[in-house]
Amino acid sequence: MTVPAEKPKKIGAKQIAIVVHQEHSRPGRVGALLEKRGYGLHRLCPNLGCELPEDMSDYAGVVIFGGPMSANDCGSLAGIKCELDWIPKVVEAGVPYLGLCLGAQLLTRAVGGCVAPHPEGKVEVGYAEIVPTEAGREWISRPMKVYQWHREGMSIPACCELLATSQTYPVQGFRCGPNAFGFQFHPEVTLEMKDQWTSEPGESMRRPGAQQRGVHLSMHPFYDPPLDRWIDGFLDRWLATDTRSH
């Protein structure tokens, strides 16, 4: 069971810190796969006033999920500033870090990269193909269709290694050091979550490049099983990147 958002406490080494950005945000498929492996999920939401842990010894990893805000909102949102200050500490400590969508963009900014809208105003909302780089084939063996929901992209600094790219947004996956990964797409999103996200899509689905609700739902049985298998395999390897001495 996911632990409600609260201040960190001593909770044992079989825990994953799950950082979300809204009251009703869920870890979806990624959370279910981590729980299947026996990990408890400690849900934290800095935007709702949660403090982030200084001592990471109780955690086997950190996953930061997406949200409607920007990684550039550190001047107006205290929660975003808190995450940007905290992420380098997690990475430097050797704790496995996984950033998804906004979580990847926050990692980018935290290590010196940039986050900005597409120069032509294009978005990726729906399914888009990503292609692994030469370095990325170790982690993503072949091109695959992934689920996207974003209007900003990343420019990563030289300390990061590009793992996957796409035509519209060139940075789709990257690695920072041995233990930190960022992916622009959403491997956590289930069919139920897609149904909720597209039921009241607002401005996002009116932007250039956005796919309409029917595509989001009808393509799920075709594109999500391979993505499910990929994230299932990735998580074991990601958890093994822990560089702390135990």
Side-chain angles (χ1 to χ4, degrees):
M1 179 182 296
T2 302
V3 180
E6 57 186 20
K7 292 183 178 180
K9 57 187 178 182
K10 289 288 183 181
I11 50 181
K14 284 284 282 185
Q15 298 285 326
I16 304 291
I18 298 292
V19 181
V20 297
H21 297 98
Q22 298 182 100
E23 183 178 359
H24 300 294
S25 298
R26 293 182 292 165
R29 181 188 288 127
V30 168
L33 289 170
L34 289 169
E35 288 182 316
K36 182 180 177 181
R37 286 163 168 78
Y39 292 96
L41 308 182
H42 189 198
R43 186 178 185 271
L44 300 161
C45 187
N47 283 340
L48 296 179
C50 290
E51 295 178 7
L52 295 171
E54 291 293 327
D55 180 5
M56 293 301 300
S57 59
D58 291 323
Y59 298 91
V62 170
V63 186
I64 298 187
F65 289 87
M69 57 288 295
S70 169
N72 297 317
D73 285 343
C74 49
S76 57
L77 293 176
I80 294 297
K81 184 180 186 305
C82 178
E83 290 180 58
L84 288 171
D85 292 340
W86 182 66
I87 289 169
K89 301 174 186 177
V90 174
V91 176
E92 290 164 13
V95 181
Y97 174 99
L98 175 59
L100 301 176
C101 197
L102 177 56
Q105 295 174 351
L106 287 164
L107 174 61
T108 299
R109 284 216 58 207
V111 298
C114 298
V115 173
H118 191 279
E120 299 175 11
K122 294 180 180 179
V123 301
E124 286 182 321
V125 175
Y127 287 96
E129 184 173 76
I130 63 166
V131 178
T133 63
E134 188 66 34
R137 288 196 186 108
E138 179 185 352
W139 298 92
I140 303 171
S141 61
R142 60 180 64 86
M144 63 179 178
K145 292 272 192 177
V146 296
Y147 193 69
Q148 307 267 17
W149 197 294
H150 66 99
R151 57 181 175 79
E152 293 185 306
M154 302 173 278
S155 298
I156 54 175
C159 62
C160 296
E161 181 177 49
L162 184 65
L163 301 180
T165 186
S166 78
Q167 184 174 359
T168 305
Y169 283 89
V171 179
Q172 290 289 337
F174 67 97
R175 186 178 189 178
C176 179
N179 58 300
F181 293 80
F183 295 107
Q184 181 62 80
F185 51 95
H186 286 280
E188 82 280 14
V189 177
T190 63
L191 181 59
E192 180 187 4
M193 292 166 71
K194 290 186 180 78
D195 186 36
Q196 292 177 345
W197 287 16
T198 58
S199 62
E200 295 181 9
E203 179 68 20
S204 297
M205 290 176 65
R206 292 192 289 270
R207 295 179 182 270
Q211 296 167 358
Q212 296 309 299
R213 174 177 165 85
V215 177
H216 294 239
L217 303 181
S218 65
M219 292 297 101
H220 181 92
F222 299 98
Y223 296 143
D224 277 65
L227 184 59
D228 196 2
R229 291 191 293 271
W230 172 77
I231 191 62
D232 193 12
F234 171 84
L235 288 173
D236 287 327
R237 300 182 64 200
W238 167 68
L239 287 162
T241 65
D242 194 330
T243 61
R244 295 170 291 182
S245 58
H246 296 282

PDB file of all heavy atoms in Angstrom, residues 102-136:
ATOM      1  N   LEU A 102       8.342  15.311 -15.934  1.00  0.00           N
ATOM      2  CA  LEU A 102       8.823  16.429 -15.122  1.00  0.00           C
ATOM      3  C   LEU A 102      10.003  16.002 -14.255  1.00  0.00           C
ATOM      4  O   LEU A 102      10.941  16.780 -14.043  1.00  0.00           O
ATOM      5  CB  LEU A 102       7.685  16.966 -14.251  1.00  0.00           C
ATOM      6  CG  LEU A 102       8.036  18.095 -13.274  1.00  0.00           C
ATOM      7  CD1 LEU A 102       8.649  19.295 -13.987  1.00  0.00           C
ATOM      8  CD2 LEU A 102       6.803  18.505 -12.474  1.00  0.00           C
ATOM      9  N   GLY A 103       9.987  14.769 -13.754  1.00  0.00           N
ATOM     10  CA  GLY A 103      11.103  14.275 -12.950  1.00  0.00           C
ATOM     11  C   GLY A 103      12.410  14.241 -13.719  1.00  0.00           C
ATOM     12  O   GLY A 103      13.487  14.472 -13.155  1.00  0.00           O
ATOM     13  N   ALA A 104      12.332  13.956 -15.022  1.00  0.00           N
ATOM     14  CA  ALA A 104      13.528  13.991 -15.878  1.00  0.00           C
ATOM     15  C   ALA A 104      13.965  15.428 -16.119  1.00  0.00           C
ATOM     16  O   ALA A 104      15.161  15.746 -16.120  1.00  0.00           O
ATOM     17  CB  ALA A 104      13.243  13.292 -17.205  1.00  0.00           C
ATOM     18  N   GLN A 105      12.998  16.314 -16.338  1.00  0.00           N
ATOM     19  CA  GLN A 105      13.323  17.721 -16.587  1.00  0.00           C
ATOM     20  C   GLN A 105      13.923  18.369 -15.342  1.00  0.00           C
ATOM     21  O   GLN A 105      14.834  19.202 -15.437  1.00  0.00           O
ATOM     22  CB  GLN A 105      12.065  18.458 -17.046  1.00  0.00           C
ATOM     23  CG  GLN A 105      11.561  17.962 -18.388  1.00  0.00           C
ATOM     24  CD  GLN A 105      10.233  18.573 -18.796  1.00  0.00           C
ATOM     25  OE1 GLN A 105       9.575  19.258 -18.012  1.00  0.00           O
ATOM     26  NE2 GLN A 105       9.817  18.319 -20.026  1.00  0.00           N
ATOM     27  N   LEU A 106      13.449  17.983 -14.162  1.00  0.00           N
ATOM     28  CA  LEU A 106      14.034  18.482 -12.925  1.00  0.00           C
ATOM     29  C   LEU A 106      15.478  18.010 -12.774  1.00  0.00           C
ATOM     30  O   LEU A 106      16.354  18.783 -12.362  1.00  0.00           O
ATOM     31  CB  LEU A 106      13.191  18.036 -11.734  1.00  0.00           C
ATOM     32  CG  LEU A 106      11.849  18.757 -11.563  1.00  0.00           C
ATOM     33  CD1 LEU A 106      10.941  17.985 -10.614  1.00  0.00           C
ATOM     34  CD2 LEU A 106      12.048  20.184 -11.052  1.00  0.00           C
ATOM     35  N   LEU A 107      15.731  16.755 -13.107  1.00  0.00           N
ATOM     36  CA  LEU A 107      17.106  16.253 -13.076  1.00  0.00           C
ATOM     37  C   LEU A 107      17.976  17.044 -14.039  1.00  0.00           C
ATOM     38  O   LEU A 107      19.106  17.438 -13.704  1.00  0.00           O
ATOM     39  CB  LEU A 107      17.129  14.762 -13.432  1.00  0.00           C
ATOM     40  CG  LEU A 107      18.511  14.115 -13.584  1.00  0.00           C
ATOM     41  CD1 LEU A 107      19.311  14.202 -12.287  1.00  0.00           C
ATOM     42  CD2 LEU A 107      18.372  12.655 -14.032  1.00  0.00           C
ATOM     43  N   THR A 108      17.464  17.302 -15.222  1.00  0.00           N
ATOM     44  CA  THR A 108      18.199  18.084 -16.214  1.00  0.00           C
ATOM     45  C   THR A 108      18.616  19.441 -15.654  1.00  0.00           C
ATOM     46  O   THR A 108      19.779  19.836 -15.728  1.00  0.00           O
ATOM     47  CB  THR A 108      17.334  18.295 -17.477  1.00  0.00           C
ATOM     48  OG1 THR A 108      17.011  17.037 -18.044  1.00  0.00           O
ATOM     49  CG2 THR A 108      18.066  19.132 -18.505  1.00  0.00           C
ATOM     50  N   ARG A 109      17.667  20.154 -15.103  1.00  0.00           N
ATOM     51  CA  ARG A 109      17.959  21.479 -14.556  1.00  0.00           C
ATOM     52  C   ARG A 109      18.897  21.388 -13.355  1.00  0.00           C
ATOM     53  O   ARG A 109      19.784  22.234 -13.175  1.00  0.00           O
ATOM     54  CB  ARG A 109      16.670  22.176 -14.134  1.00  0.00           C
ATOM     55  CG  ARG A 109      15.872  22.726 -15.322  1.00  0.00           C
ATOM     56  CD  ARG A 109      15.191  24.041 -14.948  1.00  0.00           C
ATOM     57  NE  ARG A 109      16.161  25.023 -14.506  1.00  0.00           N
ATOM     58  CZ  ARG A 109      15.891  26.024 -13.659  1.00  0.00           C
ATOM     59  NH1 ARG A 109      14.678  26.152 -13.149  1.00  0.00           N
ATOM     60  NH2 ARG A 109      16.807  26.879 -13.311  1.00  0.00           N
ATOM     61  N   ALA A 110      18.712  20.376 -12.531  1.00  0.00           N
ATOM     62  CA  ALA A 110      19.518  20.249 -11.320  1.00  0.00           C
ATOM     63  C   ALA A 110      20.994  20.024 -11.613  1.00  0.00           C
ATOM     64  O   ALA A 110      21.849  20.381 -10.801  1.00  0.00           O
ATOM     65  CB  ALA A 110      18.978  19.115 -10.447  1.00  0.00           C
ATOM     66  N   VAL A 111      21.301  19.433 -12.784  1.00  0.00           N
ATOM     67  CA  VAL A 111      22.707  19.151 -13.115  1.00  0.00           C
ATOM     68  C   VAL A 111      23.256  20.106 -14.168  1.00  0.00           C
ATOM     69  O   VAL A 111      24.330  19.882 -14.721  1.00  0.00           O
ATOM     70  CB  VAL A 111      22.895  17.679 -13.552  1.00  0.00           C
ATOM     71  CG1 VAL A 111      22.525  16.729 -12.418  1.00  0.00           C
ATOM     72  CG2 VAL A 111      22.087  17.354 -14.813  1.00  0.00           C
ATOM     73  N   GLY A 112      22.510  21.185 -14.466  1.00  0.00           N
ATOM     74  CA  GLY A 112      23.051  22.228 -15.326  1.00  0.00           C
ATOM     75  C   GLY A 112      22.495  22.318 -16.723  1.00  0.00           C
ATOM     76  O   GLY A 112      22.983  23.105 -17.542  1.00  0.00           O
ATOM     77  N   GLY A 113      21.458  21.540 -17.052  1.00  0.00           N
ATOM     78  CA  GLY A 113      20.847  21.593 -18.370  1.00  0.00           C
ATOM     79  C   GLY A 113      19.706  22.598 -18.421  1.00  0.00           C
ATOM     80  O   GLY A 113      19.453  23.340 -17.474  1.00  0.00           O
ATOM     81  N   CYS A 114      18.989  22.614 -19.545  1.00  0.00           N
ATOM     82  CA  CYS A 114      17.906  23.581 -19.779  1.00  0.00           C
ATOM     83  C   CYS A 114      16.610  22.857 -20.115  1.00  0.00           C
ATOM     84  O   CYS A 114      16.617  21.783 -20.725  1.00  0.00           O
ATOM     85  CB  CYS A 114      18.263  24.523 -20.927  1.00  0.00           C
ATOM     86  SG  CYS A 114      19.731  25.523 -20.636  1.00  0.00           S
ATOM     87  N   VAL A 115      15.508  23.473 -19.748  1.00  0.00           N
ATOM     88  CA  VAL A 115      14.164  22.995 -20.068  1.00  0.00           C
ATOM     89  C   VAL A 115      13.410  24.140 -20.718  1.00  0.00           C
ATOM     90  O   VAL A 115      13.394  25.263 -20.191  1.00  0.00           O
ATOM     91  CB  VAL A 115      13.432  22.507 -18.803  1.00  0.00           C
ATOM     92  CG1 VAL A 115      11.983  22.167 -19.117  1.00  0.00           C
ATOM     93  CG2 VAL A 115      14.145  21.310 -18.194  1.00  0.00           C
ATOM     94  N   ALA A 116      12.795  23.881 -21.881  1.00  0.00           N
ATOM     95  CA  ALA A 116      12.116  24.957 -22.615  1.00  0.00           C
ATOM     96  C   ALA A 116      11.075  24.362 -23.561  1.00  0.00           C
ATOM     97  O   ALA A 116      11.164  23.191 -23.947  1.00  0.00           O
ATOM     98  CB  ALA A 116      13.132  25.776 -23.414  1.00  0.00           C
ATOM     99  N   PRO A 117      10.081  25.158 -23.975  1.00  0.00           N
ATOM    100  CA  PRO A 117       9.104  24.695 -24.960  1.00  0.00           C
ATOM    101  C   PRO A 117       9.758  24.430 -26.313  1.00  0.00           C
ATOM    102  O   PRO A 117      10.850  24.934 -26.598  1.00  0.00           O
ATOM    103  CB  PRO A 117       8.107  25.857 -25.050  1.00  0.00           C
ATOM    104  CG  PRO A 117       8.340  26.676 -23.830  1.00  0.00           C
ATOM    105  CD  PRO A 117       9.782  26.514 -23.479  1.00  0.00           C
ATOM    106  N   HIS A 118       9.075  23.672 -27.145  1.00  0.00           N
ATOM    107  CA  HIS A 118       9.521  23.437 -28.518  1.00  0.00           C
ATOM    108  C   HIS A 118       9.516  24.775 -29.268  1.00  0.00           C
ATOM    109  O   HIS A 118       8.588  25.582 -29.107  1.00  0.00           O
ATOM    110  CB  HIS A 118       8.581  22.438 -29.207  1.00  0.00           C
ATOM    111  CG  HIS A 118       9.080  21.941 -30.515  1.00  0.00           C
ATOM    112  ND1 HIS A 118       8.940  22.661 -31.683  1.00  0.00           N
ATOM    113  CD2 HIS A 118       9.731  20.796 -30.857  1.00  0.00           C
ATOM    114  CE1 HIS A 118       9.461  21.977 -32.676  1.00  0.00           C
ATOM    115  NE2 HIS A 118       9.958  20.840 -32.205  1.00  0.00           N
ATOM    116  N   PRO A 119      10.529  25.039 -30.094  1.00  0.00           N
ATOM    117  CA  PRO A 119      10.582  26.336 -30.791  1.00  0.00           C
ATOM    118  C   PRO A 119       9.391  26.593 -31.707  1.00  0.00           C
ATOM    119  O   PRO A 119       9.075  27.751 -31.996  1.00  0.00           O
ATOM    120  CB  PRO A 119      11.890  26.258 -31.585  1.00  0.00           C
ATOM    121  CG  PRO A 119      12.257  24.811 -31.626  1.00  0.00           C
ATOM    122  CD  PRO A 119      11.711  24.210 -30.376  1.00  0.00           C
ATOM    123  N   GLU A 120       8.705  25.544 -32.160  1.00  0.00           N
ATOM    124  CA  GLU A 120       7.522  25.708 -32.999  1.00  0.00           C
ATOM    125  C   GLU A 120       6.230  25.482 -32.224  1.00  0.00           C
ATOM    126  O   GLU A 120       5.155  25.397 -32.825  1.00  0.00           O
ATOM    127  CB  GLU A 120       7.601  24.752 -34.194  1.00  0.00           C
ATOM    128  CG  GLU A 120       8.805  25.006 -35.099  1.00  0.00           C
ATOM    129  CD  GLU A 120       8.914  23.968 -36.210  1.00  0.00           C
ATOM    130  OE1 GLU A 120       7.954  23.180 -36.398  1.00  0.00           O
ATOM    131  OE2 GLU A 120       9.959  23.936 -36.882  1.00  0.00           O
ATOM    132  N   GLY A 121       6.329  25.392 -30.911  1.00  0.00           N
ATOM    133  CA  GLY A 121       5.145  25.216 -30.084  1.00  0.00           C
ATOM    134  C   GLY A 121       4.558  23.814 -30.100  1.00  0.00           C
ATOM    135  O   GLY A 121       3.447  23.591 -29.602  1.00  0.00           O
ATOM    136  N   LYS A 122       5.282  22.838 -30.657  1.00  0.00           N
ATOM    137  CA  LYS A 122       4.764  21.473 -30.747  1.00  0.00           C
ATOM    138  C   LYS A 122       4.810  20.787 -29.385  1.00  0.00           C
ATOM    139  O   LYS A 122       5.650  21.086 -28.540  1.00  0.00           O
ATOM    140  CB  LYS A 122       5.584  20.656 -31.751  1.00  0.00           C
ATOM    141  CG  LYS A 122       5.464  21.139 -33.183  1.00  0.00           C
ATOM    142  CD  LYS A 122       6.310  20.275 -34.110  1.00  0.00           C
ATOM    143  CE  LYS A 122       6.204  20.749 -35.558  1.00  0.00           C
ATOM    144  NZ  LYS A 122       7.052  19.922 -36.464  1.00  0.00           N
ATOM    145  N   VAL A 123       3.876  19.855 -29.195  1.00  0.00           N
ATOM    146  CA  VAL A 123       3.840  19.049 -27.982  1.00  0.00           C
ATOM    147  C   VAL A 123       3.901  17.578 -28.369  1.00  0.00           C
ATOM    148  O   VAL A 123       3.710  17.210 -29.536  1.00  0.00           O
ATOM    149  CB  VAL A 123       2.566  19.315 -27.159  1.00  0.00           C
ATOM    150  CG1 VAL A 123       2.479  20.778 -26.770  1.00  0.00           C
ATOM    151  CG2 VAL A 123       1.310  18.879 -27.914  1.00  0.00           C
ATOM    152  N   GLU A 124       4.175  16.741 -27.397  1.00  0.00           N
ATOM    153  CA  GLU A 124       3.989  15.293 -27.534  1.00  0.00           C
ATOM    154  C   GLU A 124       2.943  14.909 -26.503  1.00  0.00           C
ATOM    155  O   GLU A 124       3.210  14.862 -25.303  1.00  0.00           O
ATOM    156  CB  GLU A 124       5.301  14.545 -27.303  1.00  0.00           C
ATOM    157  CG  GLU A 124       6.276  14.687 -28.462  1.00  0.00           C
ATOM    158  CD  GLU A 124       7.571  13.915 -28.265  1.00  0.00           C
ATOM    159  OE1 GLU A 124       8.086  13.877 -27.124  1.00  0.00           O
ATOM    160  OE2 GLU A 124       8.072  13.356 -29.252  1.00  0.00           O
ATOM    161  N   VAL A 125       1.737  14.667 -26.981  1.00  0.00           N
ATOM    162  CA  VAL A 125       0.616  14.261 -26.147  1.00  0.00           C
ATOM    163  C   VAL A 125      -0.034  13.082 -26.855  1.00  0.00           C
ATOM    164  O   VAL A 125      -0.720  13.242 -27.863  1.00  0.00           O
ATOM    165  CB  VAL A 125      -0.391  15.412 -25.938  1.00  0.00           C
ATOM    166  CG1 VAL A 125      -1.612  14.926 -25.169  1.00  0.00           C
ATOM    167  CG2 VAL A 125       0.258  16.565 -25.191  1.00  0.00           C
ATOM    168  N   GLY A 126       0.231  11.888 -26.349  1.00  0.00           N
ATOM    169  CA  GLY A 126      -0.167  10.663 -27.025  1.00  0.00           C
ATOM    170  C   GLY A 126       1.045   9.779 -27.225  1.00  0.00           C
ATOM    171  O   GLY A 126       1.997   9.816 -26.442  1.00  0.00           O
ATOM    172  N   TYR A 127       1.036   9.003 -28.288  1.00  0.00           N
ATOM    173  CA  TYR A 127       2.129   8.059 -28.541  1.00  0.00           C
ATOM    174  C   TYR A 127       3.126   8.627 -29.541  1.00  0.00           C
ATOM    175  O   TYR A 127       2.752   9.247 -30.533  1.00  0.00           O
ATOM    176  CB  TYR A 127       1.570   6.735 -29.059  1.00  0.00           C
ATOM    177  CG  TYR A 127       0.875   5.919 -28.003  1.00  0.00           C
ATOM    178  CD1 TYR A 127      -0.512   5.989 -27.847  1.00  0.00           C
ATOM    179  CD2 TYR A 127       1.589   5.101 -27.137  1.00  0.00           C
ATOM    180  CE1 TYR A 127      -1.164   5.256 -26.878  1.00  0.00           C
ATOM    181  CE2 TYR A 127       0.951   4.363 -26.160  1.00  0.00           C
ATOM    182  CZ  TYR A 127      -0.426   4.434 -26.035  1.00  0.00           C
ATOM    183  OH  TYR A 127      -1.071   3.704 -25.061  1.00  0.00           O
ATOM    184  N   ALA A 128       4.390   8.408 -29.268  1.00  0.00           N
ATOM    185  CA  ALA A 128       5.468   8.815 -30.173  1.00  0.00           C
ATOM    186  C   ALA A 128       6.572   7.779 -30.113  1.00  0.00           C
ATOM    187  O   ALA A 128       6.776   7.117 -29.087  1.00  0.00           O
ATOM    188  CB  ALA A 128       6.007  10.186 -29.780  1.00  0.00           C
ATOM    189  N   GLU A 129       7.273   7.638 -31.218  1.00  0.00           N
ATOM    190  CA  GLU A 129       8.354   6.663 -31.267  1.00  0.00           C
ATOM    191  C   GLU A 129       9.653   7.267 -30.754  1.00  0.00           C
ATOM    192  O   GLU A 129      10.007   8.396 -31.104  1.00  0.00           O
ATOM    193  CB  GLU A 129       8.568   6.151 -32.699  1.00  0.00           C
ATOM    194  CG  GLU A 129       9.637   5.061 -32.779  1.00  0.00           C
ATOM    195  CD  GLU A 129       9.745   4.439 -34.158  1.00  0.00           C
ATOM    196  OE1 GLU A 129      10.325   5.092 -35.051  1.00  0.00           O
ATOM    197  OE2 GLU A 129       9.230   3.320 -34.346  1.00  0.00           O
ATOM    198  N   ILE A 130      10.348   6.510 -29.931  1.00  0.00           N
ATOM    199  CA  ILE A 130      11.693   6.889 -29.518  1.00  0.00           C
ATOM    200  C   ILE A 130      12.681   5.869 -30.072  1.00  0.00           C
ATOM    201  O   ILE A 130      12.337   4.710 -30.300  1.00  0.00           O
ATOM    202  CB  ILE A 130      11.825   6.993 -27.988  1.00  0.00           C
ATOM    203  CG1 ILE A 130      11.587   5.631 -27.325  1.00  0.00           C
ATOM    204  CG2 ILE A 130      10.878   8.041 -27.443  1.00  0.00           C
ATOM    205  CD1 ILE A 130      12.036   5.580 -25.878  1.00  0.00           C
ATOM    206  N   VAL A 131      13.905   6.336 -30.283  1.00  0.00           N
ATOM    207  CA  VAL A 131      14.954   5.485 -30.865  1.00  0.00           C
ATOM    208  C   VAL A 131      16.165   5.530 -29.939  1.00  0.00           C
ATOM    209  O   VAL A 131      16.622   6.615 -29.562  1.00  0.00           O
ATOM    210  CB  VAL A 131      15.342   5.991 -32.269  1.00  0.00           C
ATOM    211  CG1 VAL A 131      16.455   5.146 -32.858  1.00  0.00           C
ATOM    212  CG2 VAL A 131      14.120   5.989 -33.187  1.00  0.00           C
ATOM    213  N   PRO A 132      16.699   4.379 -29.563  1.00  0.00           N
ATOM    214  CA  PRO A 132      17.878   4.396 -28.700  1.00  0.00           C
ATOM    215  C   PRO A 132      19.110   4.886 -29.445  1.00  0.00           C
ATOM    216  O   PRO A 132      19.268   4.657 -30.647  1.00  0.00           O
ATOM    217  CB  PRO A 132      18.035   2.930 -28.275  1.00  0.00           C
ATOM    218  CG  PRO A 132      17.390   2.148 -29.371  1.00  0.00           C
ATOM    219  CD  PRO A 132      16.259   3.002 -29.869  1.00  0.00           C
ATOM    220  N   THR A 133      19.982   5.566 -28.732  1.00  0.00           N
ATOM    221  CA  THR A 133      21.296   5.907 -29.274  1.00  0.00           C
ATOM    222  C   THR A 133      22.200   4.685 -29.157  1.00  0.00           C
ATOM    223  O   THR A 133      21.812   3.650 -28.600  1.00  0.00           O
ATOM    224  CB  THR A 133      21.910   7.066 -28.481  1.00  0.00           C
ATOM    225  OG1 THR A 133      22.103   6.633 -27.113  1.00  0.00           O
ATOM    226  CG2 THR A 133      21.002   8.293 -28.499  1.00  0.00           C
ATOM    227  N   GLU A 134      23.413   4.804 -29.682  1.00  0.00           N
ATOM    228  CA  GLU A 134      24.366   3.707 -29.547  1.00  0.00           C
ATOM    229  C   GLU A 134      24.579   3.368 -28.073  1.00  0.00           C
ATOM    230  O   GLU A 134      24.560   2.202 -27.682  1.00  0.00           O
ATOM    231  CB  GLU A 134      25.700   4.104 -30.200  1.00  0.00           C
ATOM    232  CG  GLU A 134      26.699   2.969 -30.286  1.00  0.00           C
ATOM    233  CD  GLU A 134      26.255   1.860 -31.226  1.00  0.00           C
ATOM    234  OE1 GLU A 134      25.606   2.138 -32.250  1.00  0.00           O
ATOM    235  OE2 GLU A 134      26.560   0.680 -30.917  1.00  0.00           O
ATOM    236  N   ALA A 135      24.781   4.396 -27.258  1.00  0.00           N
ATOM    237  CA  ALA A 135      24.964   4.164 -25.818  1.00  0.00           C
ATOM    238  C   ALA A 135      23.685   3.655 -25.169  1.00  0.00           C
ATOM    239  O   ALA A 135      23.727   2.877 -24.208  1.00  0.00           O
ATOM    240  CB  ALA A 135      25.408   5.456 -25.142  1.00  0.00           C
ATOM    241  N   GLY A 136      22.543   4.072 -25.699  1.00  0.00           N
ATOM    242  CA  GLY A 136      21.272   3.718 -25.089  1.00  0.00           C
ATOM    243  C   GLY A 136      20.817   2.299 -25.334  1.00  0.00           C
ATOM    244  O   GLY A 136      19.924   1.809 -24.627  1.00  0.00           O
TER     245      GLY A 136
END
